[in-house]
Amino acid sequence: GQAAALLAREAALEVAGEGSFYFGPIADRAGFHQALVRTITDMKEALLRADTFDQAIHGGAVDKEMHARKLLSLLGLWRGYERRLSELGRLDGTDLVTFAIGGLMQAGTDEASLAVLYGFYDLNEQQKWLLNAFCGDSDSLVLFPTDACPAFAWTEKTRQWFESAGFQAEHYGHAGAGRRAPELQHLVRRLFARPDGSAAPAAGAVGILSAPGVAREAREIAREVLAAVDADESLRFSDIAIVVRTVEPYRRVLTEVFETAGIPLHVVHPPPLGETPTGKAALLLRELVQRDFPRAKVMEFATGFDLAEGEGTAPVAWDQMTMEAGIVGGSKEWTERLPRVGACRQPGDEDTPEPEPLTERREAVANGLRRFMRRLLAFGEELRAASTFTSAAAAITGCLRDLLAPSAERDTVTRAVDALTDLDVLGQTADGTTVGRALEALLGNEPDTAFVTDSNGVVFADVMAARGTSFRLVFVPGLVEKSFPVPARQDPLLLDHERFRLNNVLTGLGTGGELPEKGARIAEEKLLYRLACGIATERLVVSYPRLDPTTGRDLMPSHFVLRTVEALTGERATLQALEAFPGYVRVPLSRLPPEDLGRSVDRLEFDLGQVERALRGNHAGTALYLKQLSKHFERGVRAERNRWGATQFTAWDGMLDLPSCLPLLGEHALEHEPVSPSALETFGTCPYRYLLSQVFRLSVQEEPERAITISPADRGELIHTILERFHEGLREGNSWPPPLDAEERLSKLTETELDRFAQTGAVGFPLFWELAKQTIREDLRTVLRLEQAEAGVWRPELLEQKYGRDEQATGAPSIELAEGRAVRFSGRIDRVDLDTTKQRARVVDYKTGRKQSLKPDSFAGGTSLQLPLYLIAAKHLLADRKPQPELERAFFWYVSAKAEFGRVEFTAGDWPSKLETLKRILGTFADCVRGGSFFAVPDEAKKCGYCDFALVCGAGKEQVFQRKERDPRAAAYLGLSDIA
Ligand code: SF4
């Protein structure tokens, strides 16, 4: 099929440029090539030849309703297709049958042979010719389904042909009629007949099930199967069949539901190889090359499939590392950044932005990632260089073998991919698109299967495979309009009215042959439904889903359901009256567990039902057995009770004052080692946020491909670096106040740093990056102008100065608390300026984010501590200066137009009183940490909206807080909110 489609493509591309070519705009669409092959096959099966078609077009088939240009283009394509076949010396599938018939006619048939034919109910012209040639003079027996039931109208034409061909009719009665329940017998005879008041005898053999969706429909079928096998000892799973018009979506959903319910299922049509994990891996490999290795897709390959074991094979860690390295995709980017992978780490808070050191394990994992990616990139080069299907197949199978763990499935898929090599016979160049389409077609084919009835499981098959068989209990799901009956689809290249007209002209020309009209196939759907119903001998359940789960829209039950009711009741049926049918069951959307828990399909339903009963009857005891079954259940119940039931903070709110926790918290005590001012501010904002970020060390990892623009943290870091390097340069050249060329220097430095940052890839979309760069350039120019205005008074003395970390811990700046305790600080100060007399000092802290609504000299209830702590740290840093400068103030400088280059300051005036306040705040924090008090203090508007952990806290956190805020253990902390 794929080879024929490729020939059709060649034929289409050959004439695509011609102005008169009707199909020009779709000439290279894969769907068009397949449709063209189907139309050509149809015409050849109708025993038409391109010359006959030509005659018909010029012999009057074209009238005002028919498009001459279209038909002539179709003729040109057909001829091009045949010409290529002939040049290659090949036959397509239809030619092969014609060739075989010719051989058969030449050889003649043995008179003693007996031909037995079954499984036909309609014949194309080529098949009729074959039968004539094959049956010839020999005895032939044709088993042909026909009946007085109106559903067999579709077979009538073929029956008449058999008669005209000299076959004698003998009637064998109804298949399975002797064993069929009277009600079912009545149904299969009366289906699609006009209701005439004749009702079926005893009721109960036919059920109609309406379920909310396909998944629920499958679940209810499983329930019916279990109930039927329980009720009748002689009924085995293999006596039951599920018959569908089309296997999907039922194959997937039934397989899953039946597996959980422990019911063996014999799936007659296994899924195509492309749906197996290794088949998906093969398709994904091709997509990776086509899209040039996007990071997310590469990680889908690494994490989604069973990789071959190797040192450093850790796909989840690879995902993290590639995000940290800011890789978005592209072979070039992978090649450039792979050497750096593993070395980049998320920075700490804004006071301690240094990366963490590389560990041995991390190095091994990074090496594993490099090996994996080098193999993938090499595969990309191989596939791009491949000019034949053989070399493309070798590249794909080689990569699958190198990267995936060995398995039988891997062997099957690689064998299937090897079949691509057959296409080289066409002599076409195997470009990426052609290989992709061929691979998809190859792996999309359903494997050949045989219908076996000796399995131990419930048989699941489509009606074409199951027709003619008998099962005691049969389910026919999926009875929804447009699913069963499947709507008749016209051939887009040769519509029915064109076929009709062509047939008339062909008859007039006496060339024989008849093109089938597609619309007529709707009658076949009735036959298929009748055949599906006829499979049941004791009970039949037809069912339909009412809702489409993807859109939530109502689904219309198939009118075949109504015809079923009419056949059984003898009365006209309507959708509104459907519920009155005695065998009708409507499964509600709201309920999962059944009323009778003995009818539960699996443990989940049974357990849910028990819990529901316990809640309804208010006797929890009936559900307590779940504690023994699942530790998660008990933990869930405990969490629920502690979080929502208690009126004081519990461990589920971050109150870790349990004897088992307190010793572990020792090393996190604020007095234990130097702590950064911003970490202390985090505690002041919300102790639970501090617990997650500082104690548990959790952080959010942004996926680089999701970044629209540079992140606020990266922007801040970039601006800090530019300003530091700029001032450093001026200081080295002793160039203060800034010289005349300062703006040019700043501009050069800015461009260098912007280019360096762009190498990380974390810049978002190109347009947004251009806008961000422009804003950064303009903001920095304004900062320089503002600097120049006060350059005569203040001069930068210390830049990006670290404190507390690099020296002996005892040398870190600190605040003495009560009882001889002390909290020490560490971090980094952006800048300390001295005045021209070197007697006065000030601390400058650049801010690049949004402006906070802070008042001067404010502690904001313990949430604003950086400025007073910087004053202490700066004093510590300048301690050995003679004369010692007096620290006047510290201020945030918002270095952006968005924040209007505003400043918020904290002065050293009235310092003893401010120091006492600071001691009270830090003392309270230290007590909380020692006592394990990390309760969440939410504020949706001010804090939680900007918090990385909003998802962890979930909904309802403010209600929980209001319920527990009077807990005496929280009183000291919450009392700090009074501090201005
Ligand atoms: S979401 Fe709110 S309550 Fe939760 S940690 Fe963040 S700030 Fe605290």
Side-chain angles (χ1 to χ4, degrees), residues 643 682 685-692 934-940 942-954 957-958 961:
R643 187 123 169 88
T682 301
T685 305
C686 173
Y688 192 56
R689 192 194 284 189
Y690 180 91
L691 175 73
L692 299 179
F934 298 101
F935 45 87
V937 182
D939 182 339
E940 203 60 67
K942 288 192 193 147
K943 311 174 187 173
C944 305
Y946 306 97
C947 178
D948 286 344
F949 307 107
L951 268 179
V952 179
C953 289
K957 47 189 173 296
E958 290 195 309
F961 178 74

Side-chain angles (χ1 to χ4, degrees), residues 480-520:
V480 172
E481 280 301 318
K482 297 197 179 147
S483 293
F484 201 173
V486 172
R489 281 214 187 89
Q490 297 227 18
D491 173 0
L493 304 189
L494 204 52
L495 299 169
D496 273 359
H497 75 271
E498 293 165 330
R499 287 170 174 246
F500 176 77
R501 177 92 189 143
L502 275 167
N503 285 338
N504 281 345
V505 176
L506 288 169
T507 311
L509 290 171
T511 52
E514 186 182 345
L515 276 169
E517 287 169 35
K518 303 287 182 182

Side-chain angles (χ1 to χ4, degrees), residues 767-785:
L767 176 63
F768 284 98
W769 175 227
E770 287 306 316
L771 291 173
K773 284 199 291 189
Q774 199 49 34
T775 315
I776 290 172
R777 288 178 192 124
E778 280 167 16
D779 284 349
L780 287 171
R781 271 199 294 273
T782 311
V783 167
L784 177 61
R785 277 197 286 278

Side-chain angles (χ1 to χ4, degrees), residues 501-552:
R501 177 92 189 143
L502 275 167
N503 285 338
N504 281 345
V505 176
L506 288 169
T507 311
L509 290 171
T511 52
E514 186 182 345
L515 276 169
E517 287 169 35
K518 303 287 182 182
R521 293 205 85 91
I522 190 70
E524 185 184 8
E525 294 295 308
K526 290 184 179 176
L527 174 68
L528 290 174
Y529 183 59
R530 156 64 186 80
L531 293 174
C533 294
I535 296 167
T537 58
E538 292 180 16
R539 181 161 159 76
L540 169 75
V541 179
V542 298
S543 59
Y544 60 89
R546 295 191 302 274
L547 292 172
D548 179 345
T550 50
T551 61

Side-chain angles (χ1 to χ4, degrees), residues 46 119 355 460 747 768 790 834 934 949:
F460 169 69
S747 166
F768 284 98
E790 39 181 44
L834 293 184
F934 298 101
F949 307 107

